[in-house]
Amino acid sequence: QVFFCEQPVMDFIRRCCCCRRRRRDALDIEMERGLSLEAMDTPAELSEGQWNDDSFVSAASFAVALRLPSSRIRMSLPKAPQDLPRIKSTNANKLSQFQWIKGLLTDIVEGRAANAGYDNVKKCSATPLFVVAGTCPNSFCGMQAVQYCQLDAGGLDFWWIKPQADNPAALERETLSLHETGPHKNAAGKARAVYQPLADKFKAGLDGDFSFGVDENGRAYIDDSGSSVASVRMYIYLVWQETWSSMMARKKFIKGKMLYQKSPRAQKFHSRQYVIQDGQLSIGTFEEEVSQLLPGDQFQDMYVMEEG
């Protein structure tokens, strides 16, 4: 359960004893009950000598004043302004064509995807982490998407998932497992070079302000520390590819949106735009609420994002 840093949480904090130690203990108790805090306003500068009730203006302040690890506090991001100009989607592929992955996404966000796949090369179980979609179908391939998995043997790998041949609205569950040969052959092949950089980020664990990892429950996440004292954790489940450079372009890029939860199994979904250019990842500042797990086609419209 997520509580915003508004009146209910503020009242709880103010009811605590003025002693910093007892405030920290009280907050620890609430966190053990599953409480998490999100900032609703701009982080305030707070030094140890400036402690008072009015200092509780943001989750960032809590982190500084209570000396909590940044991972203990989640702060919210600025929302995209309603009048922010949008660029109409030109991608011929539409989210509405990907209803066949909805069941898999549901399993991921509800924590039911553990060991749903199998790596027939390394002979080990595989847990789906998230899906990357948007570039297929195209003139070279039919309908498919990329599934990233955590392997029981260690590490992270990816391969194609596809809809059923006789029922395009349903996932071919055989493709949840890796097959290098046979009727369900789905190894990444030549596309590996395109999708490997994202896998490498989870292997490296750190890229600038972003930390990549998989938690103990088999959920992939990206932590955005940015310039704030509190990090923002995004449990990603879908990476939509909206536009990309041609094969002949000198500068390679791909742009789209990441869809995520702020806590595992939360039924509220969010997104942020991203750009990957020459292997460098940039994630937009603005956060947008997503009305449903797999949003409508209008979701594909983008705003101009500063890169770098």
Side-chain angles (χ1 to χ4, degrees):
Q1 188 176 9
V2 175
F3 291 83
F4 291 95
C5 187
E6 295 182 299
Q7 200 60 41
V9 175
M10 299 290 278
D11 288 346
F12 164 74
I13 294 295
R14 289 192 173 102
R15 285 198 301 270
C16 298
C17 178
C18 292
C19 169
R20 183 188 298 111
R21 173 62 184 173
R22 293 187 64 183
R23 283 179 188 264
R24 180 162 55 242
D25 288 346
L27 188 55
D28 283 343
I29 292 171
E30 287 301 302
M31 285 189 166
E32 287 175 2
R33 294 175 181 170
L35 179 146
S36 57
L37 305 173
E38 293 186 58
M40 294 297 292
D41 40 25
T42 304
E45 295 296 328
L46 182 67
S47 67
E48 185 171 341
Q50 295 174 314
W51 184 272
N52 57 59
D53 282 343
D54 293 332
S55 298
F56 287 102
V57 296
S58 71
S61 299
F62 294 155
V64 173
L66 299 175
R67 299 177 183 175
L68 293 170
S70 61
S71 60
R72 297 284 302 281
I73 300 289
R74 292 201 318 279
M75 57 182 295
S76 65
L77 295 157
K79 308 301 180 185
Q82 292 292 326
D83 59 351
L84 189 67
R86 303 281 175 162
I87 302 170
K88 192 71 176 176
S89 171
T90 57
N91 189 348
N93 300 323
K94 301 301 178 183
L95 275 160
S96 57
Q97 300 170 315
F98 286 82
Q99 292 296 318
W100 58 275
I101 67 171
K102 189 172 182 179
L104 173 59
L105 299 182
T106 300
D107 287 345
I108 291 172
V109 302
E110 294 184 358
R112 300 197 306 263
N115 301 320
Y118 189 81
D119 186 331
N120 284 294
V121 177
K122 296 182 179 177
K123 306 299 181 184
C124 66
S125 296
T127 295
L129 299 174
F130 57 90
V131 174
V132 177
T135 61
C136 299
N138 55 53
S139 57
F140 299 100
C141 65
M143 174 60 80
Q144 56 187 7
V146 177
Q147 170 187 257
Y148 283 72
C149 292
Q150 183 182 40
L151 305 181
D152 274 4
L156 184 148
D157 204 356
F158 53 91
W159 50 82
W160 297 108
I161 54 173
K162 305 177 183 185
Q164 296 176 15
D166 57 352
N167 184 8
L171 171 68
E172 174 53 72
R173 297 197 67 83
E174 284 291 333
T175 62
L176 291 176
S177 299
L178 173 61
H179 303 272
E180 289 200 320
T181 59
H184 300 297
K185 180 180 177 180
N186 61 345
K190 293 181 179 179
R192 179 164 289 276
V194 176
Y195 294 97
Q196 186 64 48
L198 184 54
D200 289 341
K201 293 187 185 302
F202 281 89
K203 181 178 179 181
L206 187 65
D207 181 10
D209 290 333
F210 304 105
S211 300
F212 299 77
V214 179
D215 69 11
E216 64 277 7
N217 297 311
R219 288 300 306 276
Y221 65 83
I222 302 175
D223 282 342
D224 178 6
S225 58
S227 59
S228 64
V229 296
S231 64
V232 177
R233 174 157 291 187
M234 300 172 284
Y235 290 94
I236 62 173
Y237 66 90
L238 176 63
V239 178
W240 178 255
Q241 301 166 302
E242 179 58 29
T243 184
W244 52 91
S245 57
S246 70
M247 295 294 291
M248 303 301 294
R250 292 181 60 189
K251 287 189 175 183
K252 306 293 185 184
F253 73 86
I254 189 160
K255 301 179 182 181
K257 295 184 178 183
M258 293 183 175
L259 290 86
Y260 59 91
Q261 301 157 284
K262 291 184 178 180
S263 60
R265 306 188 188 184
Q267 292 303 304
K268 292 183 67 175
F269 308 108
H270 309 267
S271 74
R272 290 170 71 179
Q273 288 191 187
Y274 72 89
V275 177
I276 300 177
Q277 182 165 309
D278 296 329
Q280 181 65 42
L281 172 68
S282 299
I283 299 181
T285 301
F286 293 133
E287 178 180 79
E288 299 181 88
E289 289 190 6
V290 180
S291 60
Q292 53 190 326
L293 178 73
L294 193 63
D297 295 345
Q298 188 177 1
F299 170 82
Q300 295 177 222
D301 296 347
M302 306 267 285
Y303 62 84
V304 177
M305 179 181 134
E306 291 187 8
E307 302 165 23

